[in-house]
Amino acid sequence: PELQNYFSARILEQLTGSTAYPTFGMDGLFLDNIDLSWSRFTQMGSTPKEFISSQAFADSVFNFVSHIHNQLHVNGRNFPVFGNMTGGSSGAADWNRYQPVLEGGLKEDFVLNWGRGPYSSTTILNQLTQMESWIATGNYYIAAAPANLWNDCPNNTVCNGIHPKFDKEARFALAAFLLATE
């Protein structure tokens, strides 16, 4: 609770301009990353020691985001909170609990699997269901389709010129974006 209060107080200083530091026109908050499960940690071979399960971890993250959102929406304040939703499932269930406490969410691996090509049709349909559910409640949905070309270039360097795989994946992502926006 002390960390949550400290964090929200510092953010409010920035958003309300009651700090000596420049705010650069900030009018909301973007949280990166909101982990919907502890899957990112287990992929690295560990789990957070403070939690007995992935659900306990996810509940703690949700409580933190809820606290921040509540602090930014009291006393006449209405600062939007957006977040990069990471981990969790490709369906709507993990995101749905955040609908009341986030005005927008980012899906940073929409339709493309980080340079490994498109996801399966099942995963893409689940992502579209997630998107529809999120938007239906008035939330913003930010979709980013990543082409991770770092691993496709010799010696993990930046490729010169247009990479044929990037062009193919970019066209696929564009088609998905156009379909998703009707």
Side-chain angles (χ1 to χ4, degrees):
E2 293 83 13
L3 179 60
Q4 292 177 6
N5 290 331
Y6 175 78
F7 184 83
S8 58
R10 292 300 310 242
I11 293 301
L12 280 170
E13 285 178 359
Q14 293 293 311
L15 292 172
T16 60
S18 61
T19 178
Y21 301 105
T23 60
F24 303 107
M26 288 176 33
D27 62 358
L29 177 64
F30 184 88
L31 297 169
D32 185 29
N33 291 324
I34 297 175
D35 285 304
L36 303 174
S37 72
W38 66 14
S39 64
R40 254 185 342 134
F41 300 102
T42 58
Q43 290 171 0
M44 295 183 276
S46 65
T47 58
K49 296 185 184 324
E50 299 85 351
F51 303 98
I52 60 170
S53 68
S54 183
Q55 186 61 51
F57 172 82
D59 291 344
S60 179
V61 172
F62 177 76
N63 291 336
F64 179 76
V65 173
S66 297
H67 176 83
I68 300 306
H69 186 270
N70 292 341
Q71 293 302 306
L72 299 183
H73 288 84
V74 296
N75 300 327
R77 295 187 292 256
N78 193 26
F79 296 113
V81 181
F82 283 62
N84 178 11
M85 313 291 271
T86 60
S89 70
S90 291
D94 287 335
W95 280 50
N96 284 352
R97 77 187 292 197
Y98 283 89
Q99 287 173 340
V101 297
L102 288 177
E103 282 70 39
L106 166 65
K107 179 69 174 167
E108 66 180 356
D109 61 342
F110 181 70
V111 304
L112 293 180
N113 187 6
W114 295 104
R116 293 182 285 277
Y119 280 111
S120 69
S121 59
T122 302
T123 297
I124 292 171
L125 288 173
N126 285 338
Q127 289 180 347
L128 292 171
T129 299
Q130 179 183 63
M131 177 191 293
E132 288 174 345
S133 173
W134 192 255
I135 292 171
T137 60
N139 295 68
Y140 291 94
Y141 188 93
I142 305 167
N148 187 358
L149 301 180
W150 177 265
N151 295 322
D152 295 333
C153 296
N155 301 321
N156 289 339
T157 60
V158 177
C159 294
N160 294 327
I162 295 178
H163 193 286
K165 185 175 181 182
F166 174 77
D167 186 54
K168 181 180 175 184
E169 289 186 358
R171 289 173 189 271
F172 184 86
L174 176 61
F177 289 144
L178 292 173
L179 287 171
T181 60
E182 298 180 32

